[in-house]
Amino acid sequence: MITSPNPLRVLILGAGSGIAQATARLYAAEGATVGLAGRNVERLAVIAADLKARGAAATESFDVDFTATDAAATLAGMVAKLGGLDHVILAYGVLGDQALADRDEAAAMAIIDVNFRSAAAWTLAVANLLERQGKGSLVVLGSVAGDRGRRSNYVYGAAKAGLAVLVQGISHRFRGVGPRAVIVKPGPTDTAMTAGMAKGGPMWVTPEAVAAVVRKAADSGGPVVYAPGRWWLIMAIIRNIPASIFNKMNF
């Protein structure tokens, strides 16, 4: 157990993702204590060593299958190991294969299971913890895909839309109580999740650019934050395109 109460104590759920790693490096540079949760313990060990070299006060790694674990009970064990909790970043998810999901119900449900059912369970568990302690920040990674259904990724987008409403509701619940909850919606980001996509151009950003938004959102802003901020305007336009026009578009 880590005993020093002074460094900021951060738990990252889905610590192996590109955005999560970039965010963890920002916390490490601040001298935070960083908890890393994910399924690939060997990868987490490498990330932890890197964070220690970058200035993290301490690290703890947690081997967790988020879809198969009792979120509340597992979270309690993590908090005990970290000696408390100030910030939680929920960063895991899968894009899935929309074409497969179109014809295979199990594939569609698998996308929803990870991106909504499991993420919702962990989000609610964290919310209850933060409410009990009367402080702390929860930042959940959503997606601009949740703002309007598109043929290319609407199952993923539907799950992210549900998650966004959940976090917005928690933020409302927290008003005047002490903790904070924020949904961060990145646009296209160059990570392992988007491997295989044609990348490049002004719409794509790096994990580091999104991480800077996530880190800031843990301190202020919300309950909905776009990463980068220009996606607020882009999605406002896309949401308001009439269906008669939108459904003829190929994107």
Side-chain angles (χ1 to χ4, degrees), residues 139-184:
V139 181
V140 176
L141 268 293
S143 172
V144 295
D147 277 20
R148 187 158 189 176
R150 294 186 297 129
R151 70 185 71 172
S152 61
N153 63 1
Y154 64 87
V155 174
Y156 170 79
K160 289 295 189 181
L163 189 60
V165 172
L166 182 76
V167 175
Q168 287 176 270
I170 291 170
S171 176
H172 196 190
R173 163 186 164 187
F174 281 170
R175 182 174 174 81
V177 177
R180 306 177 59 256
V182 183
I183 183 87
V184 172

Short mmCIF file of all heavy atoms in Angstrom, two decimals, residues 139-184:
data_model
loop_
_atom_site.label_atom_id
_atom_site.label_comp_id
_atom_site.label_asym_id
_atom_site.label_seq_id
_atom_site.Cartn_x
_atom_site.Cartn_y
_atom_site.Cartn_z
N VAL A 139 -13.38 11.53 -15.16
CA VAL A 139 -13.37 11.90 -16.57
C VAL A 139 -13.53 10.64 -17.40
O VAL A 139 -12.76 9.69 -17.25
CB VAL A 139 -12.05 12.62 -16.96
CG1 VAL A 139 -12.09 13.01 -18.45
CG2 VAL A 139 -11.83 13.85 -16.10
N VAL A 140 -14.55 10.63 -18.25
CA VAL A 140 -14.86 9.46 -19.08
C VAL A 140 -14.62 9.81 -20.54
O VAL A 140 -15.08 10.85 -21.02
CB VAL A 140 -16.32 9.02 -18.86
CG1 VAL A 140 -16.68 7.86 -19.78
CG2 VAL A 140 -16.54 8.63 -17.40
N LEU A 141 -13.93 8.92 -21.25
CA LEU A 141 -13.69 9.12 -22.68
C LEU A 141 -14.91 8.67 -23.49
O LEU A 141 -15.26 7.48 -23.49
CB LEU A 141 -12.46 8.33 -23.14
CG LEU A 141 -11.10 9.04 -23.11
CD1 LEU A 141 -11.06 10.16 -24.13
CD2 LEU A 141 -10.81 9.61 -21.73
N GLY A 142 -15.57 9.62 -24.12
CA GLY A 142 -16.66 9.32 -25.03
C GLY A 142 -16.16 9.42 -26.45
O GLY A 142 -15.02 9.08 -26.76
N SER A 143 -17.01 9.92 -27.35
CA SER A 143 -16.61 10.08 -28.74
C SER A 143 -17.59 10.99 -29.45
O SER A 143 -18.79 10.99 -29.13
CB SER A 143 -16.59 8.72 -29.45
OG SER A 143 -16.39 8.87 -30.85
N VAL A 144 -17.10 11.71 -30.44
CA VAL A 144 -18.01 12.50 -31.28
C VAL A 144 -18.96 11.58 -32.05
O VAL A 144 -20.02 12.02 -32.50
CB VAL A 144 -17.24 13.41 -32.26
CG1 VAL A 144 -16.43 14.46 -31.52
CG2 VAL A 144 -16.34 12.59 -33.19
N ALA A 145 -18.60 10.30 -32.16
CA ALA A 145 -19.48 9.34 -32.84
C ALA A 145 -20.82 9.20 -32.11
O ALA A 145 -21.80 8.76 -32.72
CB ALA A 145 -18.79 7.98 -32.94
N GLY A 146 -20.84 9.57 -30.84
CA GLY A 146 -22.08 9.48 -30.08
C GLY A 146 -23.03 10.64 -30.32
O GLY A 146 -24.14 10.65 -29.78
N ASP A 147 -22.63 11.62 -31.11
CA ASP A 147 -23.48 12.79 -31.33
C ASP A 147 -24.48 12.60 -32.45
O ASP A 147 -25.51 13.29 -32.49
CB ASP A 147 -22.60 14.02 -31.62
CG ASP A 147 -22.09 14.66 -30.35
OD1 ASP A 147 -22.07 13.98 -29.31
OD2 ASP A 147 -21.68 15.84 -30.40
N ARG A 148 -24.18 11.71 -33.40
CA ARG A 148 -25.15 11.42 -34.45
C ARG A 148 -24.79 10.07 -35.09
O ARG A 148 -23.63 9.82 -35.41
CB ARG A 148 -25.17 12.52 -35.53
CG ARG A 148 -26.31 12.29 -36.53
CD ARG A 148 -26.72 13.55 -37.25
NE ARG A 148 -27.94 13.29 -38.03
CZ ARG A 148 -28.60 14.22 -38.71
NH1 ARG A 148 -28.16 15.47 -38.71
NH2 ARG A 148 -29.70 13.92 -39.39
N GLY A 149 -25.81 9.25 -35.26
CA GLY A 149 -25.57 7.93 -35.83
C GLY A 149 -25.18 8.00 -37.30
O GLY A 149 -25.83 8.69 -38.08
N ARG A 150 -24.09 7.28 -37.61
CA ARG A 150 -23.65 7.18 -39.00
C ARG A 150 -23.51 5.71 -39.37
O ARG A 150 -23.21 4.87 -38.53
CB ARG A 150 -22.30 7.88 -39.19
CG ARG A 150 -22.35 9.39 -38.98
CD ARG A 150 -21.01 10.03 -39.32
NE ARG A 150 -19.94 9.56 -38.46
CZ ARG A 150 -18.78 9.09 -38.91
NH1 ARG A 150 -18.56 8.99 -40.21
NH2 ARG A 150 -17.87 8.70 -38.06
N ARG A 151 -23.70 5.38 -40.64
CA ARG A 151 -23.70 3.99 -41.07
C ARG A 151 -22.37 3.29 -40.76
O ARG A 151 -22.34 2.07 -40.60
CB ARG A 151 -23.99 3.91 -42.57
CG ARG A 151 -22.87 4.42 -43.46
CD ARG A 151 -23.25 4.44 -44.91
NE ARG A 151 -24.23 5.48 -45.20
CZ ARG A 151 -24.63 5.81 -46.42
NH1 ARG A 151 -24.14 5.18 -47.47
NH2 ARG A 151 -25.51 6.76 -46.59
N SER A 152 -21.28 4.05 -40.68
CA SER A 152 -19.97 3.43 -40.54
C SER A 152 -19.65 2.97 -39.12
O SER A 152 -18.77 2.13 -38.92
CB SER A 152 -18.88 4.42 -40.99
OG SER A 152 -18.93 5.59 -40.19
N ASN A 153 -20.38 3.50 -38.11
CA ASN A 153 -20.01 3.11 -36.73
C ASN A 153 -21.16 3.36 -35.75
O ASN A 153 -20.92 3.75 -34.61
CB ASN A 153 -18.75 3.86 -36.28
CG ASN A 153 -18.94 5.37 -36.23
OD1 ASN A 153 -20.03 5.88 -36.51
ND2 ASN A 153 -17.90 6.09 -35.85
N TYR A 154 -22.39 3.11 -36.17
CA TYR A 154 -23.51 3.54 -35.32
C TYR A 154 -23.70 2.69 -34.07
O TYR A 154 -24.27 3.19 -33.09
CB TYR A 154 -24.80 3.61 -36.13
CG TYR A 154 -25.31 2.29 -36.70
CD1 TYR A 154 -26.13 1.47 -35.95
CD2 TYR A 154 -24.96 1.90 -37.98
CE1 TYR A 154 -26.60 0.28 -36.47
CE2 TYR A 154 -25.43 0.72 -38.51
CZ TYR A 154 -26.25 -0.10 -37.76
OH TYR A 154 -26.70 -1.28 -38.29
N VAL A 155 -23.25 1.44 -34.05
CA VAL A 155 -23.38 0.66 -32.81
C VAL A 155 -22.42 1.23 -31.77
O VAL A 155 -22.79 1.46 -30.61
CB VAL A 155 -23.10 -0.83 -33.08
CG1 VAL A 155 -23.07 -1.61 -31.75
CG2 VAL A 155 -24.16 -1.41 -34.00
N TYR A 156 -21.18 1.46 -32.18
CA TYR A 156 -20.20 2.11 -31.29
C TYR A 156 -20.72 3.47 -30.86
O TYR A 156 -20.67 3.83 -29.67
CB TYR A 156 -18.88 2.23 -32.04
CG TYR A 156 -17.82 3.07 -31.35
CD1 TYR A 156 -17.08 2.56 -30.31
CD2 TYR A 156 -17.57 4.39 -31.77
CE1 TYR A 156 -16.10 3.32 -29.69
CE2 TYR A 156 -16.61 5.16 -31.16
CZ TYR A 156 -15.87 4.62 -30.12
OH TYR A 156 -14.91 5.40 -29.51
N GLY A 157 -21.23 4.23 -31.81
CA GLY A 157 -21.73 5.57 -31.49
C GLY A 157 -22.90 5.53 -30.53
O GLY A 157 -23.01 6.38 -29.62
N ALA A 158 -23.78 4.54 -30.69
CA ALA A 158 -24.93 4.44 -29.78
C ALA A 158 -24.48 4.17 -28.35
O ALA A 158 -25.02 4.74 -27.38
CB ALA A 158 -25.86 3.32 -30.26
N ALA A 159 -23.48 3.30 -28.20
CA ALA A 159 -22.96 3.01 -26.86
C ALA A 159 -22.33 4.25 -26.24
O ALA A 159 -22.52 4.54 -25.05
CB ALA A 159 -21.94 1.88 -26.94
N LYS A 160 -21.59 4.99 -27.05
CA LYS A 160 -20.95 6.21 -26.53
C LYS A 160 -21.97 7.30 -26.23
O LYS A 160 -21.78 8.10 -25.31
CB LYS A 160 -19.92 6.72 -27.54
CG LYS A 160 -18.66 5.85 -27.65
CD LYS A 160 -17.87 5.84 -26.36
CE LYS A 160 -16.52 5.16 -26.51
NZ LYS A 160 -15.74 5.14 -25.25
N ALA A 161 -23.06 7.33 -26.99
CA ALA A 161 -24.12 8.30 -26.71
C ALA A 161 -24.75 8.00 -25.36
O ALA A 161 -25.01 8.91 -24.55
CB ALA A 161 -25.17 8.25 -27.82
N GLY A 162 -25.02 6.72 -25.10
CA GLY A 162 -25.59 6.35 -23.80
C GLY A 162 -24.66 6.69 -22.66
O GLY A 162 -25.09 7.18 -21.60
N LEU A 163 -23.37 6.44 -22.87
CA LEU A 163 -22.39 6.73 -21.82
C LEU A 163 -22.33 8.23 -21.55
O LEU A 163 -22.19 8.66 -20.40
CB LEU A 163 -21.03 6.20 -22.26
CG LEU A 163 -19.92 6.21 -21.21
CD1 LEU A 163 -20.29 5.36 -19.99
CD2 LEU A 163 -18.60 5.70 -21.82
N ALA A 164 -22.42 9.02 -22.61
CA ALA A 164 -22.37 10.48 -22.44
C ALA A 164 -23.54 10.98 -21.60
O ALA A 164 -23.37 11.82 -20.71
CB ALA A 164 -22.37 11.16 -23.82
N VAL A 165 -24.73 10.46 -21.87
CA VAL A 165 -25.91 10.87 -21.08
C VAL A 165 -25.76 10.45 -19.63
O VAL A 165 -26.11 11.19 -18.70
CB VAL A 165 -27.19 10.28 -21.70
CG1 VAL A 165 -28.39 10.53 -20.79
CG2 VAL A 165 -27.45 10.90 -23.07
N LEU A 166 -25.21 9.28 -19.42
CA LEU A 166 -24.97 8.80 -18.06
C LEU A 166 -24.05 9.76 -17.29
O LEU A 166 -24.34 10.15 -16.15
CB LEU A 166 -24.36 7.41 -18.10
CG LEU A 166 -24.09 6.77 -16.73
CD1 LEU A 166 -25.39 6.28 -16.11
CD2 LEU A 166 -23.12 5.60 -16.85
N VAL A 167 -22.94 10.14 -17.92
CA VAL A 167 -21.98 11.02 -17.25
C VAL A 167 -22.59 12.42 -17.04
O VAL A 167 -22.37 13.04 -15.99
CB VAL A 167 -20.67 11.11 -18.06
CG1 VAL A 167 -19.72 12.11 -17.43
CG2 VAL A 167 -20.02 9.74 -18.14
N GLN A 168 -23.36 12.90 -18.02
CA GLN A 168 -24.02 14.19 -17.83
C GLN A 168 -24.97 14.14 -16.64
O GLN A 168 -25.06 15.09 -15.86
CB GLN A 168 -24.79 14.57 -19.10
CG GLN A 168 -23.91 15.00 -20.26
CD GLN A 168 -24.73 15.26 -21.50
OE1 GLN A 168 -24.97 14.38 -22.31
NE2 GLN A 168 -25.18 16.49 -21.66
N GLY A 169 -25.69 13.04 -16.49
CA GLY A 169 -26.59 12.89 -15.35
C GLY A 169 -25.85 12.85 -14.03
O GLY A 169 -26.29 13.43 -13.03
N ILE A 170 -24.72 12.17 -14.02
CA ILE A 170 -23.91 12.12 -12.80
C ILE A 170 -23.38 13.51 -12.46
O ILE A 170 -23.35 13.91 -11.30
CB ILE A 170 -22.75 11.11 -12.98
CG1 ILE A 170 -23.32 9.69 -13.04
CG2 ILE A 170 -21.74 11.24 -11.84
CD1 ILE A 170 -22.31 8.65 -13.45
N SER A 171 -22.97 14.25 -13.49
CA SER A 171 -22.51 15.62 -13.25
C SER A 171 -23.62 16.45 -12.62
O SER A 171 -23.37 17.25 -11.69
CB SER A 171 -22.06 16.25 -14.58
OG SER A 171 -21.70 17.60 -14.40
N HIS A 172 -24.84 16.27 -13.11
CA HIS A 172 -25.99 16.98 -12.53
C HIS A 172 -26.22 16.54 -11.08
O HIS A 172 -26.45 17.36 -10.19
CB HIS A 172 -27.22 16.70 -13.39
CG HIS A 172 -28.35 17.63 -13.13
ND1 HIS A 172 -29.60 17.44 -13.66
CD2 HIS A 172 -28.43 18.77 -12.40
CE1 HIS A 172 -30.40 18.41 -13.27
NE2 HIS A 172 -29.71 19.24 -12.50
N ARG A 173 -26.12 15.23 -10.86
CA ARG A 173 -26.26 14.67 -9.49
C ARG A 173 -25.22 15.26 -8.53
O ARG A 173 -25.50 15.47 -7.36
CB ARG A 173 -26.12 13.16 -9.59
CG ARG A 173 -25.84 12.41 -8.30
CD ARG A 173 -25.57 10.94 -8.61
NE ARG A 173 -24.95 10.24 -7.51
CZ ARG A 173 -24.49 8.99 -7.58
NH1 ARG A 173 -24.60 8.30 -8.70
NH2 ARG A 173 -23.92 8.42 -6.53
N PHE A 174 -24.03 15.52 -9.06
CA PHE A 174 -22.93 16.01 -8.21
C PHE A 174 -23.04 17.50 -7.88
O PHE A 174 -22.29 17.99 -7.04
CB PHE A 174 -21.59 15.77 -8.90
CG PHE A 174 -21.07 14.36 -8.79
CD1 PHE A 174 -19.97 13.97 -9.54
CD2 PHE A 174 -21.66 13.44 -7.93
CE1 PHE A 174 -19.48 12.68 -9.44
CE2 PHE A 174 -21.17 12.14 -7.83
CZ PHE A 174 -20.08 11.76 -8.59
N ARG A 175 -23.92 18.20 -8.56
CA ARG A 175 -23.98 19.66 -8.35
C ARG A 175 -24.20 20.00 -6.88
O ARG A 175 -25.16 19.55 -6.25
CB ARG A 175 -25.10 20.27 -9.19
CG ARG A 175 -25.18 21.79 -9.05
CD ARG A 175 -26.20 22.36 -10.01
NE ARG A 175 -26.38 23.78 -9.79
CZ ARG A 175 -25.57 24.72 -10.26
NH1 ARG A 175 -24.54 24.39 -10.98
NH2 ARG A 175 -25.79 26.00 -10.01
N GLY A 176 -23.29 20.76 -6.33
CA GLY A 176 -23.38 21.16 -4.93
C GLY A 176 -22.91 20.12 -3.94
O GLY A 176 -22.92 20.36 -2.72
N VAL A 177 -22.48 18.97 -4.44
CA VAL A 177 -22.06 17.88 -3.54
C VAL A 177 -20.55 17.86 -3.34
O VAL A 177 -20.05 17.55 -2.25
CB VAL A 177 -22.54 16.51 -4.09
CG1 VAL A 177 -22.05 15.37 -3.22
CG2 VAL A 177 -24.06 16.50 -4.19
N GLY A 178 -19.80 18.19 -4.39
CA GLY A 178 -18.34 18.22 -4.24
C GLY A 178 -17.59 17.62 -5.40
O GLY A 178 -16.73 18.28 -5.99
N PRO A 179 -17.87 16.36 -5.79
CA PRO A 179 -17.13 15.76 -6.90
C PRO A 179 -17.53 16.36 -8.24
O PRO A 179 -18.51 17.10 -8.34
CB PRO A 179 -17.53 14.28 -6.83
CG PRO A 179 -18.17 14.09 -5.51
CD PRO A 179 -18.77 15.41 -5.14
N ARG A 180 -16.77 15.98 -9.30
CA ARG A 180 -17.05 16.43 -10.65
C ARG A 180 -17.11 15.21 -11.57
O ARG A 180 -16.43 14.21 -11.33
CB ARG A 180 -15.96 17.37 -11.16
CG ARG A 180 -15.69 18.56 -10.28
CD ARG A 180 -14.56 19.41 -10.80
NE ARG A 180 -14.83 19.91 -12.14
CZ ARG A 180 -14.30 19.43 -13.24
NH1 ARG A 180 -13.42 18.47 -13.17
NH2 ARG A 180 -14.63 19.93 -14.42
N ALA A 181 -17.89 15.33 -12.65
CA ALA A 181 -17.92 14.29 -13.69
C ALA A 181 -17.94 14.97 -15.05
O ALA A 181 -18.72 15.89 -15.26
CB ALA A 181 -19.15 13.39 -13.52
N VAL A 182 -17.10 14.50 -15.94
CA VAL A 182 -16.96 15.12 -17.27
C VAL A 182 -16.88 14.02 -18.32
O VAL A 182 -16.19 13.02 -18.13
CB VAL A 182 -15.68 15.99 -17.34
CG1 VAL A 182 -15.58 16.67 -18.70
CG2 VAL A 182 -15.63 17.00 -16.22
N ILE A 183 -17.58 14.21 -19.43
CA ILE A 183 -17.42 13.35 -20.60
C ILE A 183 -16.57 14.11 -21.61
O ILE A 183 -16.90 15.23 -21.98
CB ILE A 183 -18.78 12.92 -21.19
CG1 ILE A 183 -18.57 11.96 -22.36
CG2 ILE A 183 -19.63 14.10 -21.61
CD1 ILE A 183 -18.46 10.54 -21.96
N VAL A 184 -15.47 13.52 -22.04
CA VAL A 184 -14.61 14.12 -23.06
C VAL A 184 -14.86 13.38 -24.37
O VAL A 184 -14.76 12.15 -24.42
CB VAL A 184 -13.13 14.02 -22.67
CG1 VAL A 184 -12.24 14.48 -23.83
CG2 VAL A 184 -12.84 14.87 -21.44
#
